[in-house]
Amino acid sequence: AADPAAACRIAAVCRRDGYRVIGISDPAYPQRLREIHSAPAVLYVNGAWPDFDGAAAIAMVGTRDATPYGLQVATRLASDLARSGVWVVSGGALGIDTAAHRAALMAGGRTVAVLGAGFHSRYLMSNAELRRQIAEKGVLVTEYPPDAPMRKGAFPLRNRIISALSLGVVVVEAGERSGALITAQ
């Protein structure tokens, strides 16, 4: 059973910080996401939520330990997609994700960072400035309340959202047993 007091606290934090909460029955909830197994009941949104059902969105994923060539490819592809009006979706992590988000923003396009923790999580705070830019010119989204920390197993859950929001997934560079390949599957 849900805790009504906890729900009220979460709602108060979202109002205070300007986060939107989109439930699975909300018309703004993407149909592609609604149709997956274990669709999140709620999405927390920071930024301009697009109409995903009418938007062209492509996921770009890959390793955190990217090679210079991988970063170059991610930058080029994301830039070209963004200039073509395609939303670039990724996970907000270091490496390929960061290159894709930055390139989309630099090209004047839109990008979506799907996070595996709440917006206030200390995880990957080295990307805090990029997250701020994404919230201003794109959107941050998570299924976790704002104060939820990073937990083991959050990445595969996050990856299902990345792929469901997108019409396709581009794996730029990844190891044989990587989360990027899970996202592509």
Side-chain angles (χ1 to χ4, degrees):
D3 177 357
C8 287
R9 284 190 300 274
I10 292 167
V13 168
C14 290
R15 276 191 306 276
R16 179 194 74 204
D17 294 343
Y19 305 142
R20 183 173 174 189
V21 181
I22 299 175
I24 196 165
S25 62
D26 189 311
Y29 195 98
Q31 186 62 34
R32 292 189 296 257
L33 183 56
R34 189 179 283 131
E35 293 173 356
I36 68 168
H37 176 68
S38 70
V42 173
L43 297 173
Y44 298 90
V45 175
N46 185 8
W49 188 247
D51 171 14
F52 276 102
D53 297 331
I58 297 292
M60 187 166 300
V61 296
T63 183
R64 286 176 183 80
D65 298 320
T67 64
Y69 178 72
L71 295 172
Q72 178 184 14
V73 169
T75 298
R76 176 70 186 267
L77 288 173
S79 181
D80 288 349
L81 287 168
R83 276 197 292 277
S84 298
V86 175
W87 282 75
V88 176
V89 182
S90 199
L94 302 175
I96 298 299
D97 292 7
T98 293
H101 291 305
R102 281 191 179 139
L105 292 171
M106 293 294 293
R110 303 288 183 154
T111 189
V112 179
V114 181
L115 306 179
F119 296 133
H120 300 163
S121 172
R122 305 304 302 160
Y123 180 75
L124 284 178
M125 287 314 289
S126 60
N127 261 1
E129 177 57 23
L130 178 60
R131 287 185 192 181
R132 185 192 64 71
Q133 292 171 4
I134 293 170
E136 284 180 5
K137 298 179 181 175
V139 64
L140 300 170
V141 62
T142 182
E143 67 183 298
Y144 301 102
D147 293 322
M150 175 57 69
R151 297 181 196 268
K152 185 176 179 160
F155 288 114
L157 294 173
R158 175 202 66 179
N159 294 349
R160 82 191 194 292
I161 297 171
I162 292 171
S163 63
L165 292 177
S166 307
L167 296 173
V169 178
V170 176
V171 178
V172 176
E173 183 176 42
E176 289 182 33
R177 298 179 53 147
S178 68
L181 294 181
I182 292 170
T183 306
Q185 287 176 334

